[in-house]
Amino acid sequence: MTATQTATKTSADLLAAAEGFAPEIAARAAEIEANRFLPQDIATRFAEAGFYRLCIPADYGGLESHPGELVKVVERIAQADGSAAWCVFIGATSGLVAAFLEASEAKRIFGDPLTITAGVFAPRGKAVRASEKGVEGYRVTGRWQWGSGSRNAQWISGGCMILGDDGKPEMAAEGIPQNRMMIFEADQVHLHDTWDVSGLCGTGSTDFEVTDLFVPASRAVSLVSDKPLPRPLYCFPTFGLLGIGIAAVSLGLARGAIDGLVDLAGGKTPQGSSKPLALRAKAHLDVSEAEALTRSGRAYLMEAIDAAWDAATRNGEITVAHRRDLRLATKHAVRSATKAVDLMYTLAGGSSVYRSSALQRQFRDVHVATQHMMVSDATYELTGRLLLGVPTNTAML
């Protein structure tokens, strides 16, 4: 498959591919979970389908898609398995760095349509300026958590704080410490076997580490200070797009949980009851609430995405209000989806605790998604300050 062939894929092609993958992914969910990372054959076929190209610039053979398309693809995969969907969104959003790189470097990394990238934006590494063989760059040391998809990737990125000669952080113009994403070749990175967790077990979100590694300046980008390609997609904040991916996984898990409960309800008669679950008033109430929570959370998210996309298309930028709404809608979608999953898990009673039930995995997966810093309760404090007109540093919004 060539980069040109991948770039000609449409949103309909990707959704059809996601739909086609769903039965197999659902059937292999237990295998994915037991493996603790996405099996490489699945990751490779996801790459062939173009899922990891959603956020890569068209200049380099990417799809440069409307973020709503990312939501739809990830959401559909998540209905089948949350871990597989998480790896899709991480692989897709980590491709955003291509828009910040020099063209030659971007083509080198992303020119192969089967390239899979992963990375952690959090600046848990430290970098000092250095040169090697006449090339300017950085000496990097760091260890990062939540390295989702790293075992499938050829390139792995880690956020780093830039330190000056005095050992103190350099400051960016935005009034925050200067951070840069350092891009490593996968064989330069040590993966620690740390991913033994309650949910999203198959994402391979292990710790990874580099020690005193030289990274050329051409592979070190600031997602805050550097200017990406002037396209609508790259007007969106990188951290906002990361949050959108988390929301898409959560909404897909909720949809899968509702569909699973509905399938169960017609044939299950709860202990002590003479009526099938589908005929009980409690089921009517909870399924209705879960449906409303999931669809309203999704609608608000898509509304915020569409409004920001329209502004970016018309004006070449989005406002602080758009960025605020993206973060608020993302947090709301995750919270609403989590409540919907909880309702379905509880309503299913004892049936939901068995490994044979997808509900137990959806319950565990969505509660791990809620722990990501991008959708923590602190988001409400940030967006609330902006809604109330309180002075707020929005550099990382």
Side-chain angles (χ1 to χ4, degrees):
M1 179 178 292
T2 66
T4 301
Q5 288 173 317
T6 304
T8 59
K9 290 182 180 292
T10 66
S11 58
D13 293 332
L14 267 65
L15 283 172
E19 189 70 40
F21 272 114
E24 178 190 353
I25 297 303
R28 295 180 67 179
E31 173 197 346
I32 293 169
E33 181 159 85
N35 196 50
R36 294 194 294 134
F37 63 92
L38 193 65
Q40 191 61 46
D41 71 292
I42 297 176
T44 299
R45 288 161 57 212
F46 281 173
E48 292 171 344
F51 294 164
Y52 301 126
R53 312 294 286 180
L54 278 159
C55 298
I56 294 171
D59 301 40
Y60 314 130
L63 299 172
E64 204 175 306
S65 298
H66 185 298
E69 304 305 323
L70 172 69
V71 172
K72 294 173 186 176
V73 169
V74 171
E75 184 181 46
R76 183 62 190 94
I77 296 294
Q79 290 177 44
D81 180 65
S83 290
W86 190 276
C87 289
V88 168
F89 109 72
I90 289 293
T93 55
S94 62
L96 289 164
V97 298
F100 293 81
L101 290 168
E102 297 174 1
S104 59
E105 196 69 65
K107 289 175 182 176
R108 176 172 176 245
I109 296 173
F110 294 97
D112 182 347
L114 299 185
T115 291
I116 302 174
T117 57
V120 175
F121 294 138
R124 296 190 177 276
K126 295 181 179 180
V128 294
R129 298 182 188 277
S131 63
E132 186 171 289
K133 298 178 181 178
V135 177
E136 295 300 315
Y138 300 88
R139 283 280 169 192
V140 178
T141 296
R143 178 166 173 160
W144 295 262
Q145 295 178 306
W146 289 75
S148 307
S150 296
R151 294 193 184 277
N152 304 122
Q154 293 88 35
W155 298 87
I156 302 173
S157 301
C160 289
M161 183 178 296
I162 308 301
L163 303 181
D165 294 337
D166 58 0
K168 296 180 179 179
E170 293 185 2
M171 301 302 291
E174 293 78 11
I176 59 176
Q178 179 68 266
N179 299 324
R180 288 192 172 273
M181 286 289 286
M182 303 289 172
I183 305 173
F184 319 121
E185 296 180 55
D187 61 8
Q188 297 175 316
V189 178
H190 177 70
L191 301 179
H192 294 274
D193 187 11
T194 55
W195 194 242
D196 188 7
V197 291
S198 61
L200 294 174
C201 300
T203 61
S205 302
T206 190
D207 290 14
F208 63 91
E209 184 175 14
V210 300
T211 303
D212 195 32
L213 178 67
F214 179 76
V215 177
S218 61
R219 294 209 302 268
V221 300
S222 170
L223 302 177
V224 176
S225 301
D226 292 352
K227 299 299 181 184
L229 293 174
R231 312 283 174 72
L233 177 60
Y234 309 117
C235 293
F236 279 68
T238 305
F239 304 105
L241 286 165
L242 177 64
I244 286 169
I246 299 169
V249 173
S250 301
L251 290 167
L253 289 168
R255 174 52 54 203
I258 294 169
D259 291 349
L261 188 285
V262 170
D263 288 343
L264 173 71
K268 176 184 172 72
T269 299
Q271 188 172 359
S273 174
S274 60
K275 295 180 180 180
L277 183 58
L279 297 181
R280 298 188 68 186
K282 178 62 172 170
H284 307 159
L285 292 169
D286 288 356
V287 170
S288 291
E289 184 178 1
E291 187 71 27
L293 283 165
T294 302
R295 291 169 67 176
S296 62
R298 185 181 192 276
Y300 180 29
L301 177 66
M302 296 301 267
E303 175 191 295
I305 290 171
D306 285 341
W309 182 267
D310 288 345
T313 301
R314 286 185 285 102
N315 306 322
E317 61 180 3
I318 65 175
T319 65
V320 169
H322 288 119
R323 290 190 280 153
R324 175 202 67 203
D325 288 351
L326 287 169
R327 289 292 301 278
L328 180 57
T330 293
K331 169 61 180 175
H332 177 69
V334 172
R335 189 172 193 176
S336 297
T338 301
K339 186 174 182 181
V341 172
D342 288 353
L343 285 166
M344 298 300 91
Y345 175 86
T346 303
L347 186 60
S351 299
S352 61
V353 306
Y354 287 91
R355 290 284 182 183
S356 58
S357 170
L359 278 165
Q360 51 81 25
R361 188 174 57 256
Q362 290 154 346
F363 177 85
R364 291 183 288 109
D365 286 352
V366 81
H367 279 280
V368 170
T370 63
Q371 303 307 104
H372 198 287
M373 64 177 293
M374 290 305 301
V375 292
S376 70
D377 285 346
T379 300
Y380 282 141
E381 181 182 358
L382 173 62
T383 56
R385 289 176 65 87
L386 293 169
L387 289 166
L388 289 165
V390 177
T392 305
N393 187 332
T394 60
M396 301 297 290
L397 180 63

